[in-house]
Amino acid sequence: MDEIKYDLHCHSTASDGALPPTEVVLRAKEHGVTTLALTDHDTVAGLENAKKTADELALNLIPGIELSCSWSKKTFHIIGLNIDPNNAELLEGIHGIQTTRIERAKKIAHKLEKNKIPGAFDAVQQAAGSGMITRTHFADFLLKNNYVNSMQGAFDHYLGQSKSAFVSTQWAELDDAIHWITNSGGIAVVAHPMRYKLTASWMRRFLTAFKEAGGQGMEVVTGRSNPDEIRRAIHFARQFELHGSVGSDFHTPKNKWVELGRLAPLPPSIHPVWRLFPS
Ligand code: AMP
Ligand code: MN
Ligand code: MN
Ligand code: MN
């Protein structure tokens, strides 16, 4: 029997990925992925083309999304797996976040202008096309025009929290986002739990709220997890009886550290989230 390989978190040009949905699926196939979830930020626009390609390649595509949420004045990313991309309440919910994204992009561009960096909004709008505008687009713009010399530099100097072009944003409420996912038949999963830099007590508070709202999973393994981060994620997943997910968070072939399907195995002490998928 052929090996089964899951990658349940990645991005296409529908949000801040470098490759169109079709090419993401082709690349996943080339890297041995057998079940892929495309999880663009706050949009389902890439799923139709991804599904067509996946069907041609006999790859199992899980319709997914990564929702931007606010809880206790902090930003969290919640992955929805196996959502119904046509669910009216979900679509209405993400429409609200999409409007917020455009308004925020204008404010970021305005702050950059005050830093003598003109033209950012037009540039990111053109780069994003019909897709979501994200801070990745701003970072690309700053890098291309030599205002910074790396993507990380763009976040360190301008776009990161409390930097000069940072815009504090009210995203979807955590409870609402989880409801949109579960109400459409999906499974809500905490994305990259170690990236929020929470203390253990804040993590417990957050996971308590996440569970109460109907959340069921946590990304235990991501494309950039080190063994210590995996250990800590397992600890919380077990404590809160969350199913474990694995996702590379692939955005671009230019990032040599993150590749589709390149993931540490899910530890055996964790119930895999794919057990919850209907067979
Ligand atoms: P947004 O949702 O618009 O705030 O953009 C967040 C996205 O920016 C994330 O999904 C990442 O793809 C990207 N990002 C955040 N921090 C960094 C960083 N330090 N370096 C590169 N990309 C980053
Ligand atoms: Mn991203
Ligand atoms: Mn994320
Ligand atoms: Mn992501």
Side-chain angles (χ1 to χ4, degrees), residues 9 12 35-36 64 76 78 85 118 148 153 202 209 212 221 229 245 264-265:
H9 183 164
S12 75
T35 298
L36 178 76
F76 291 87
I78 303 297
V148 292
W202 269 105
E212 275 174 7
V221 177
E229 288 169 331
S245 187

Side-chain angles (χ1 to χ4, degrees), residues 11-17 40-43 66 68 77 94 97-109 112 119-141 155 159 169 171 251:
H11 297 273
S12 75
T13 47
S15 63
D16 57 354
D40 275 305
H41 297 285
D42 309 312
T43 180
E66 181 173 14
S68 308
H77 287 175
I94 62 180
I97 313 181
Q98 291 168 1
T99 306
T100 300
R101 277 200 172 276
I102 294 169
E103 293 307 313
R104 179 185 70 148
K106 288 179 186 160
K107 291 181 192 160
I108 293 174
L112 287 172
F121 186 76
D122 286 350
V124 296
Q125 199 178 35
Q126 197 176 5
S130 58
M132 298 294 99
I133 301 176
T134 71
R135 281 186 294 164
T136 306
H137 296 95
F138 282 98
D140 277 338
F141 163 80
F155 285 87
L159 303 170
T169 305
W171 300 108
H251 283 76

Side-chain angles (χ1 to χ4, degrees), residues 80 83 175-188 213-216:
I83 52 164
D175 290 17
D176 290 340
I178 294 171
H179 171 79
W180 300 332
I181 291 168
T182 54
N183 180 59
S184 89
I187 300 155
Q216 290 179 280

